[in-house]
């Protein structure tokens, strides 16, 4: 389950971004700062939802950037394994997407799970990995030709869309 959190922050916009729209610059800076980060007493911030209030921008002496106080409402590491999809499901190699083979009285309909579509899902598990930097071990120091270890996401959610009402939002909207 996700919650929408309202936060207040002062955002620094560097001078080279003054040519852009203020909202676009602020949204980019906030996503750089908060998206995919775990915030104390909030949890994982997935992305910026909306900027609800902008106050006046200030330029401080010795700093050419503007500083704007904003109110905002706030992840890519959400995994839904194949066994947690609506069933029966198959992977369409040609389209490179998963397909739910939805059965009706008129026959089967293929409902495609296109990339970038909004999805409603149930969280079934979460994983937090400490990604604090550590020093090299003595075994790693002796062999320098090995490949670098794969970086783990600090916070991962495992989801499921195998229940009624879950899956692509477009599947469940009434016309």
């Amino acid at each position: 389950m996700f919650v929408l959190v309202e936060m207040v922050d002062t955002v620094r916009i560097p001078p080279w971004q003054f040519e852009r729209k203020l909202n676009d610059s602020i949204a980019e800076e906030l996503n750089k700062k908060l998206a995919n980060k775990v915030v104390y007493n909030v949890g994982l911030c997935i992305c910026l939802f909306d900027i609800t209030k902008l106050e006046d921008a200030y330029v401080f002496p010795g700093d050419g950037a503007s500083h704007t106080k904003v109110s905002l409402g706030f992840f890519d590491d959400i995994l839904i394994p194949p066994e947690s999809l609506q069933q029966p499901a198959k992977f369409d190699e040609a389209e490179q997407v998963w397909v739910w083979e939805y059965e009706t009285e008129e026959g089967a309909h293929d409902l495609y799970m296109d990339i970038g579509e909004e999805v409603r899902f149930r969280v079934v598990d979460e994983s937090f990995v400490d990604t604090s930097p550590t020093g090299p071990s003595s075994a790693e120091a002796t062999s320098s030709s090995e490949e670098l270890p794969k970086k783990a996401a600090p916070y991962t959610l495992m989801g499921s869309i195998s229940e009624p009402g879950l899956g692509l939002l477009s599947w469940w909207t009434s016309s």
Side-chain angles (χ1 to χ4, degrees):
M1 173 173 211
F2 290 93
V3 293
L4 198 58
V5 176
E6 186 170 319
M7 303 171 80
V8 177
D9 198 359
T10 300
V11 179
R12 181 182 184 275
I13 305 298
W16 55 87
Q17 290 190 12
F18 286 171
E19 65 186 27
R20 299 177 59 202
K21 289 183 179 178
L22 183 61
N23 275 16
D24 294 343
S25 295
I26 288 174
E28 181 179 322
E29 292 299 315
L30 287 170
N31 275 317
K32 279 189 208 173
K33 181 178 181 179
L34 296 170
N36 295 323
K37 303 282 190 310
V38 178
V39 177
Y40 181 70
N41 282 341
V42 172
L44 176 71
C45 288
I46 296 176
C47 67
L48 175 67
F49 178 74
D50 193 15
I51 297 173
T52 58
K53 182 180 178 185
L54 287 176
E55 293 186 8
D56 292 335
Y58 297 96
V59 177
F60 296 117
D63 184 8
S66 72
H67 298 261
T68 308
K69 190 171 183 179
V70 297
S71 295
L72 47 131
F74 257 77
F75 184 65
D76 293 328
D77 297 311
I78 301 172
L79 306 173
I80 301 175
E83 61 273 8
S84 296
L85 299 173
Q86 293 279 4
Q87 298 297 324
K90 65 178 181 183
F91 187 75
D92 186 328
E93 291 287 338
E95 297 286 331
Q96 290 293 299
V97 295
W98 283 94
V99 180
W100 177 24
E101 298 172 319
Y102 181 67
E103 294 288 333
T104 64
E105 293 173 358
E106 295 97 35
H109 296 280
D110 287 346
L111 298 176
Y112 288 83
M113 299 177 211
D114 292 322
I115 295 172
E117 291 289 321
E118 290 188 15
V119 175
R120 181 179 295 125
F121 66 96
R122 182 173 60 89
V123 175
V124 294
D125 194 17
E126 63 180 344
S127 171
F128 181 77
V129 177
D130 184 7
T131 58
S132 301
T134 59
S137 66
S138 58
E140 291 175 0
T142 58
S143 61
S144 60
S145 62
E146 292 181 22
E147 65 181 60
L148 295 173
K150 184 178 177 184
K151 288 189 175 185
Y155 189 72
T156 304
L157 295 176
M158 295 296 287
S160 172
I161 61 168
S162 63
E163 298 170 19
L166 300 181
L168 271 66
L169 296 182
S170 60
W171 294 347
W172 305 107
T173 57
S174 58
S175 301

